[in-house]
Structure formats: C-alpha cells, structure tokens
C-alpha cells in the first residue's frame, strides 16, 4: 500500500505541473491572412471552424472563423491552412483545411475528420469539391474528366478505389501531370509530426513461478500462480505520426509486484506431519514498450489496437521462502534486463483540435529468472490514461 500511495502522489504532482503550461502548449507561432493584411502572432486551433489568435503571450485573444480570414500559417508545422467554402444540399459550409497539394487541382484535408468529410479539392475554376465518404469517388469522377489516360482512369475504377489520404494524393498528382504538365505541381512539404505526454493508470500485477528443480517435487511444489498485487503506474510516451492510421509508439513506465504463496510440504517418511513453506516474490521495474498502433475508424472517438515488444529493467527483484525449520532463505533471482510484449486496445477521445485523451487496456508480460533452473512470468494488466502535452 505504501508503494501505491507514493506512486499516486507522484502522478498527481506531474499532472499538476503539466496544468501550469497547458494553455501555452495550445498556441503555435504563425500568422493569419485577413483582407489586405497579414498579422503575426500565435495561433491556437480549436476545431475545423474556429481558431484563437493573439499577438503575444500577454495579449488579448481574438476568435476567427473561415468567413473572417483567408487562412493562416503555422511556423512549427510548416503548414498552410486555407479557408474553403462549398455548398452541400443547398447550404454553404466553411472550413479551415490544410494544404496538401498546390497545383492545377489542389488537395486539402481536415486535421480531424468531421463525420465522413476528410478531404476536398479545389478546381481551376476555384470551385471547392468536398470528398466525403462513399461520395468521394463520385465527386472525383464527375469533376476530374479532362484526363483520358488509362493509367489515370484505372485509379478511379471502383474496384481499385479506396478513400485514403495516399490515394487522394496520387489521384490529384497524376491528374495534374496529365492535364497540365507545364504547370508545376507543388507538393506541400510534410513536417515530422509527433506527440509526447504523461501516462498514469491502475494496475493488477501477477506472478507465475515455474520450472522448479525435480528434487523438490515429491516434497513440495512452489510452481504456479501467486497472489495478485494492485498498484499504480506512471510514465511518459512519445508517438511518431499520431495522425496516421499506423503510428509508432514508445513508452516508459514504472511499476512493481509483491506477492506470496503457501506451499504444503509432504514428507513421505512422516505422512502425518504437517508443514509448509511460505514463498514470497517482489520486483520493481522500468518498462520500455515499443509498439505499433493501428487506428480503426474516424470521428471524435477513435478506437485503436496496439502491440509490440517490451524491454524491462529490473531495478529490484527478490525472492524468499521460510518454514518451521527454515528462516527467511533468499533465492538468487537475476536483476537486469529482460524482455516481454505488449498487446492492448484503446480509445482516443478528442479534447481539442490537436489533442486527444487516450484510454487503454493492455497486458504486458515479461520473463524473470533465477540463477538456477527456475523461470517466472510477471504479468501486468493495466488500465491507463495518456495525456499529450506537446503536439507537433
């Protein structure tokens, strides 16, 4: 229990310190473009249709919508965002959309999908055409009609079409090269995207001991599961390309186990004698999971699965047994580095334009060994919350 309270205290302290810089992390340096003027300052993206702008940290905050400005530029992301307006079902809709390809036909995308709307194209006539879900192929075939090259038309074959970001880019690039080869097509430079933050969670750690020496089997058997240990974990994470369906995730967290088991001793020379051994194991370790994360679906709540390998560094590991004639005998367990794996499922809840609260349920087993022939599996069942503090 002492370990649990100490871990919980550290978690609360880290979260409190993060709140002091929370509002600052939302703002990025950049500029907005209004009619006939450019204003330099700091920008906070709230959603697809609203941004906050201020000239400096101590300045007042002004709210802007796509109807009020023609776009903005984020210096850290090297990203141009345009204000686009189009008509659907007789209603005009305006969004801030990120520039992906600038050319004869330009391609734009929302930072966060809004329903089935993820992308849009702007035609040479400056007409904006939304690419929404299953209607995306119809919009492309209806508006990109000037190229008859078979290699391009195959891209619009329903059997080959899948409404992904990479396919939209390929279609627009190939169409521009086919229809207007003399007009340079400027692909927007893609910046390296990542997010990093804190994680904390509730943990159920278990221990399973096995492969004991045969000479003990006829008298007592210490193999099998030991008592469960409820505790907490804290740590941090770093995610490469968090906006993609497939991303790489690196974590580091600290947790531990402490449990025991009473083993009955059967002496064949004295069948009526009653005796037992008390086995206890404890460990503290740092874990470094390196996993791949695959996101399922779109929207404000996005489910994902993840899996990969885990490097574990045992900072402290102990094993003892005692009985009526044995007093606290230490078992020579190995500390150092061991290996395991992580498998989990999670949900990402949208908190702002760029930040999501990630809740995960996962299992993380790893191997622990002694210096003889015994092997144990240490298993950690975790329910964690991950809060991105720095998003780029």
């Amino acid at each position: 229990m002492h370990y649990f309270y100490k871990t919980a205290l550290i978690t609360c302290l880290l979260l409190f310190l993060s709140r002091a810089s929370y509002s600052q992390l939302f703002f990025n340096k950049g500029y907005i473009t209004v009619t006939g003027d450019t204003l330099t300052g700091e920008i906070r993206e709230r959603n697809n249709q609203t941004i906050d702008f201020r000239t400096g940290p101590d300045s007042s905050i002004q709210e802007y919508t796509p109807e009020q400005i023609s776009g903005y530029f984020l210096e850290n992301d090297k990203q141009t965002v345009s204000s686009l307006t189009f008509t659907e079902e007789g209603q005009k809709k305006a969004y801030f959309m990120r520039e992906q390809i600038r050319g004869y036909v330009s391609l734009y995308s929302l930072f966060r999908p809004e329903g089935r709307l993820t992308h849009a194209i702007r035609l040479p006539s400056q007409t904006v055409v939304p690419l929404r879900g299953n209607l995306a192929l119809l919009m492309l075939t209806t508006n990109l009609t000037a190229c008859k090259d078979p290699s391009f038309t195959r891209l619009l074959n329903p059997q080959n079409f899948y409404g992904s970001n990479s396919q939209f880019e390929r279609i627009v690039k190939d169409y521009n090269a086919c229809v207007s080869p003399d007009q340079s097509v400027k692909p927007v430079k893609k910046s390296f995207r990542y997010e990093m933050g804190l994680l904390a969670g509730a943990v159920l750690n278990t221990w399973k001991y096995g492969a004991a020496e045969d000479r003990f089997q006829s008298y007592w058997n210490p193999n099998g599961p030991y008592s469960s240990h409820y505790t907490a974990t804290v740590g941090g994470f770093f995610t490469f390309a968090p906006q993609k369906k497939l991303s790489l995730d690196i974590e580091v967290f600290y947790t531990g186990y402490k449990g025991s088991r009473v083993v009955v001793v059967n002496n064949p020379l004295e069948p009526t004698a009653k005796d037992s051994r008390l086995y206890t194991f404890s460990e503290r370790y740092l874990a470094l999971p390196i996993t791949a994360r695959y996101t399922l679906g779109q929207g404000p709540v996005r489910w994902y699965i993840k899996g990969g390998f885990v490097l574990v560094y045992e900072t402290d590991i102990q094993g003892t047994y005692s009985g009526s004639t044995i007093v606290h005998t230490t078992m020579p367990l190995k500390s150092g580095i061991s290996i395991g794996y992580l498998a989990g499922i999670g949900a990402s809840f949208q908190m702002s334009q760029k930040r999501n609260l990630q809740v995960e349920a996962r299992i993380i087993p790893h191997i622990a060994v002694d210096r003889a022939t015994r092997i144990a599996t240490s298993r950690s069942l975790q329910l964690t919350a991950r809060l991105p503090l720095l998003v780029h």
Side-chain angles (χ1 to χ4, degrees):
M1 292 299 292
H2 174 71
Y3 172 69
F4 174 80
Y5 288 127
K6 182 171 68 174
T7 306
L9 179 61
I10 295 173
T11 303
C12 293
L13 179 61
L14 290 173
L15 290 176
F16 173 78
L17 292 175
S18 69
R19 288 180 62 87
S21 59
Y22 188 67
S23 62
Q24 296 295 324
L25 291 172
F26 274 91
F27 281 92
N28 290 310
K29 290 184 178 180
Y31 60 81
I32 63 174
T33 304
V34 297
T35 305
D37 197 7
T38 298
L39 304 178
T40 302
E42 297 177 340
I43 299 168
R44 175 169 60 190
E45 297 175 293
R46 287 171 50 189
N47 51 55
N48 293 323
Q49 296 172 309
T50 311
I51 65 166
D52 289 335
F53 176 80
R54 65 187 184 187
T55 57
D58 300 326
S59 304
S60 60
I61 298 174
Q62 178 69 44
E63 180 182 294
Y64 288 97
T65 65
E67 293 87 354
Q68 296 173 299
I69 62 175
S70 58
Y72 57 91
F73 178 79
L74 301 173
E75 288 186 6
N76 292 340
D77 295 344
K78 306 298 182 186
Q79 182 69 60
T80 299
V81 182
S82 299
S83 301
L84 301 183
T85 303
F86 51 84
T87 302
E88 282 188 315
E89 298 179 350
Q91 294 184 346
K92 281 191 174 182
K93 299 180 180 180
Y95 293 93
F96 289 122
M97 302 193 80
R98 298 183 169 232
E99 205 174 72
Q100 286 192 236
I101 294 177
R102 187 185 315 121
Y104 183 76
V105 172
S106 299
L107 176 67
Y108 300 85
S109 64
L110 290 174
F111 182 76
R112 288 295 180 195
E114 186 163 306
R116 293 181 175 271
L117 179 63
T118 59
H119 293 75
I121 58 173
R122 182 153 61 185
L123 304 176
S125 62
Q126 301 305 305
T127 300
V128 177
V129 179
L131 304 180
R132 185 188 295 273
N134 296 330
L135 295 175
L137 178 59
L138 176 62
M139 295 295 100
L140 291 169
T141 54
T142 302
N143 292 279
L144 305 184
T145 58
C147 180
K148 305 301 182 182
D149 189 292
S151 62
F152 172 75
T153 56
R154 278 196 297 269
L155 296 175
L156 300 181
N157 187 318
Q159 296 180 345
N160 301 327
F161 182 80
Y162 177 75
S164 65
N165 182 72
S166 59
Q167 186 160 24
F168 288 146
E169 286 189 348
R170 183 180 177 187
I171 289 172
V172 172
K173 287 179 182 178
D174 287 6
Y175 183 80
N176 288 342
C178 174
V179 176
S180 183
D182 296 332
Q183 179 178 336
S184 61
V185 177
K186 301 177 181 178
V188 176
K189 182 180 179 180
K190 296 182 179 179
S191 61
F192 172 69
R193 297 194 178 277
Y194 64 86
E195 65 182 18
M196 59 188 301
L198 298 176
L199 69 86
V203 180
L204 169 61
N205 288 334
T206 59
W207 182 279
K208 186 174 182 181
Y209 193 55
E213 297 168 349
D214 293 338
R215 63 190 177 92
F216 295 129
Q217 296 301 308
S218 59
Y219 299 98
W220 68 87
N221 184 3
N223 294 345
Y226 282 66
S227 59
S228 300
H229 180 59
Y230 295 90
T231 182
T233 185
V234 292
F237 67 92
F238 189 98
T239 305
F240 297 91
Q243 82 283 8
K244 301 293 186 181
K245 281 187 173 293
L246 185 64
S247 56
L248 178 66
D249 196 71
I250 300 176
E251 292 182 10
V252 60
F253 65 82
Y254 182 73
T255 187
Y257 169 79
K258 185 176 183 180
S260 61
R261 181 182 181 183
V262 176
V263 178
V264 177
V265 177
N266 297 310
N267 190 342
L269 300 179
E270 298 182 36
T272 59
K274 302 295 183 182
D275 200 0
S276 63
R277 299 281 186 269
L278 174 63
Y279 279 77
T280 63
F281 291 99
S282 66
E283 63 171 345
R284 302 284 177 84
Y285 60 88
L286 281 168
L288 180 72
I290 302 175
T291 58
R293 184 179 73 182
Y294 184 78
T295 302
L296 308 170
Q298 299 175 342
V301 179
R302 306 177 72 187
W303 291 92
Y304 61 85
I305 55 176
K306 64 188 302 183
F309 71 93
V310 180
L311 294 176
V312 174
Y313 178 69
E314 303 277 3
T315 60
D316 180 34
I317 183 168
Q318 298 179 9
T320 63
Y321 65 92
S322 59
S324 58
T325 60
I326 302 173
V327 179
H328 200 71
T329 301
T330 300
M331 301 174 65
L333 298 178
K334 286 184 177 180
S335 60
I337 297 176
S338 63
I339 194 167
Y341 70 86
L342 182 150
I345 184 171
S348 180
F349 300 89
Q350 185 172 350
M351 298 173 58
S352 69
Q353 178 73 4
K354 298 176 67 174
R355 285 171 178 78
N356 296 303
L357 176 66
Q358 302 156 21
V359 179
E360 296 181 5
R362 68 256 194 102
I363 181 172
I364 309 173
H366 72 271
I367 295 172
V369 299
D370 65 12
R371 296 171 186 168
T373 61
R374 300 181 179 88
I375 300 176
T377 301
S378 180
R379 181 180 289 111
S380 185
L381 298 174
Q382 302 184 355
L383 180 63
T384 62
R386 298 167 22 126
L387 178 63
L389 297 179
L390 181 59
V391 179
H392 178 74

